Amino acid sequence: MDTLDCSCRGPLLLHEANMVIDSLKRDIRRLTNDLVRKDTLISAYGSTLRAQAQSRIDMSFQTKFPEEPATTSQPACSTPQQNQPWTEVVARSQRGVLKRFSPPPFNPFNLSNRYSVLADSNVADPAHTIPLPPQHRSAEQSRPTAPPPKPPAPRRVARERPRHPPSSTRPVAVLVGSSMVRHVTLPRSETWCLPGARVEDVQTRVPEVVEQHPTASAIVVHVGSNDIRLQQSEKLKSDFTSLIQTILATGKKCIVSGPIPSACFSDMQFSRIRQLHAWLVGYCSRERVPFVDNFGSFWRRRSLFARDGRHLNRAGASLLASNLELALEAHHTPR
């Protein structure tokens, strides 16, 4: 019985499978037709969009750049040439067709170059040169001549009024220097603060200092920090030599206040200020000029400088005043 059932069910299962396969084929054909139809619609829609976009671009281009009427080409040269005799020319193309070139319409105006004489003549003497009209002059000829540059104004350093007036009307010493001595006061002395001053600026003010303070027996100079930026070591040494000799020539005692290593100096500036300090120590020792060593007192002491790191604050000015006061006492300056 089992064998008979299997033999009967086999054709039935095969028939059912064939029906399922046919149904799947119909679905595949239907889906394929739908895809083809949708691709056709998409292609047609894309073509329509491209055509509309191109028409919009053409309309906007015509609106911005309207077509100009056709004009005849003009010669590039501004000077018209003489009329040339025209002849009819017949040319033969490669296919054997004859082409005729008709002459242009007759020009009734006789054009000529009024300045051809100037172009052809070579005048040797500039006194006989014919001046051109203003519209034919070049830009270089019509441009006004610039006035010569003014010479630089001489360097002038103004003196600040002393914020702390001297304790006596007859000072025995005068401190002259740059803005580093702005808050420095010495007993029975007057401070001349010259902001931005260099060594040569202090030298030019020495006669004025001596004239205004005849009772002063010593002149203390503190300068040199502003000269470091120029990077001219030999000139700086020469200026210091001239300054010291100028003070000694007046009969006053010269006291040199050594340079101060600022807290904001770069490596190059620190190296130059150190070289200047070493040279001043040797030169003042040879010339028997009192020298105040400030290098060790201010090196790596940021608390003695103002916020800019270059000028002294109140504490730094007090320390510098103490160093200078000791120097004045050591060298028997009257008080």
Side-chain angles (χ1 to χ4, degrees):
M1 291 294 293
D2 295 336
T3 305
L4 182 61
D5 293 338
C6 292
S7 61
C8 292
R9 293 175 60 186
L12 182 60
L13 293 174
L14 181 61
H15 178 68
E16 292 177 355
N18 290 333
M19 291 179 64
V20 171
I21 290 173
D22 293 338
S23 177
L24 292 175
K25 288 182 179 180
R26 287 193 299 272
D27 293 340
I28 290 172
R29 284 199 286 291
R30 180 174 56 79
L31 294 174
T32 302
N33 294 333
D34 291 342
L35 289 175
V36 172
R37 181 172 55 82
K38 290 181 179 180
D39 289 341
T40 304
L41 292 176
I42 291 173
S43 300
Y45 184 70
S47 300
T48 304
L49 289 179
R50 286 193 294 271
Q52 293 178 357
Q54 185 64 32
S55 62
R56 291 178 181 177
I57 293 174
D58 295 342
M59 291 178 62
S60 63
F61 184 80
Q62 292 178 0
T63 303
K64 294 181 179 180
F65 306 100
E67 294 184 358
E68 298 180 357
T71 57
T72 57
S73 61
Q74 299 294 335
C77 180
S78 60
T79 303
Q81 298 180 357
Q82 300 292 336
N83 293 332
Q84 301 293 337
W86 292 88
T87 58
E88 184 176 359
V89 180
V90 179
R92 184 181 298 276
S93 63
Q94 296 179 355
R95 297 182 180 180
V97 181
L98 296 179
K99 296 182 180 180
R100 293 182 177 273
F101 298 92
S102 59
F106 174 71
N107 187 6
F109 301 99
N110 184 16
L111 302 178
S112 61
N113 186 4
R114 295 184 300 167
Y115 305 105
S116 59
V117 179
L118 297 178
D120 297 337
S121 62
N122 296 325
V123 182
D125 189 2
H128 299 282
T129 303
I130 303 176
L132 294 177
Q135 61 271 19
H136 289 277
R137 293 177 183 173
S138 61
E140 295 293 337
Q141 296 176 355
S142 60
R143 185 178 304 167
T145 305
K150 298 181 179 179
R155 177 178 172 84
R156 182 177 180 84
V157 180
R159 175 197 172 193
E160 285 188 354
R161 292 183 179 179
R163 301 185 181 181
H164 304 280
S167 57
S168 175
T169 56
R170 299 174 64 87
V172 296
V174 180
L175 172 61
V176 185
S178 60
S179 55
M180 299 292 284
V181 301
R182 177 172 295 159
H183 304 292
V184 177
T185 57
L186 299 174
R188 299 186 62 188
S189 301
E190 184 175 347
T191 301
W192 280 48
C193 179
L194 308 175
R198 301 172 186 167
V199 178
E200 57 183 358
D201 299 326
V202 175
Q203 181 182 357
T204 58
R205 304 299 288 271
V206 169
E208 183 180 357
V209 173
V210 174
E211 181 181 359
Q212 294 188 13
H213 305 286
T215 60
S217 59
I219 298 178
V220 185
V221 291
H222 182 93
V223 70
S225 299
N226 296 320
D227 298 78
I228 295 297
R229 308 173 190 174
L230 302 179
Q231 301 182 8
Q232 299 177 358
S233 300
E234 297 302 324
K235 183 179 183 302
L236 180 56
K237 295 177 183 179
S238 177
D239 292 342
F240 257 111
T241 303
S242 300
L243 172 61
I244 295 173
Q245 297 300 327
T246 301
I247 296 176
L248 295 177
T250 60
K252 308 292 183 179
K253 181 179 294 186
C254 177
I255 300 178
V256 178
S257 177
I260 296 176
S262 177
C264 67
F265 275 171
S266 62
D267 294 341
M268 182 183 65
Q269 291 176 334
F270 178 79
S271 176
R272 290 183 177 275
I273 203 76
R274 187 175 181 181
Q275 291 177 3
L276 175 62
H277 169 78
W279 179 82
L280 282 174
V281 170
Y283 179 79
C284 293
S285 177
R286 291 191 303 269
E287 298 294 328
R288 299 182 181 274
V289 174
F291 178 78
V292 182
D293 189 354
N294 298 315
F295 202 91
S297 302
F298 291 88
W299 186 33
R300 293 183 178 179
R301 299 187 65 180
R302 182 64 177 82
S303 60
L304 300 177
F305 293 88
R307 292 183 178 180
D308 59 358
R310 185 176 298 275
H311 298 89
L312 299 178
N313 55 16
R314 295 292 180 177
S318 178
L319 178 58
L320 179 59
S322 300
N323 294 346
L324 298 179
E325 186 177 355
L326 291 175
L328 289 174
E329 291 179 357
H331 293 280
H332 309 287
T333 301
R335 298 184 62 180

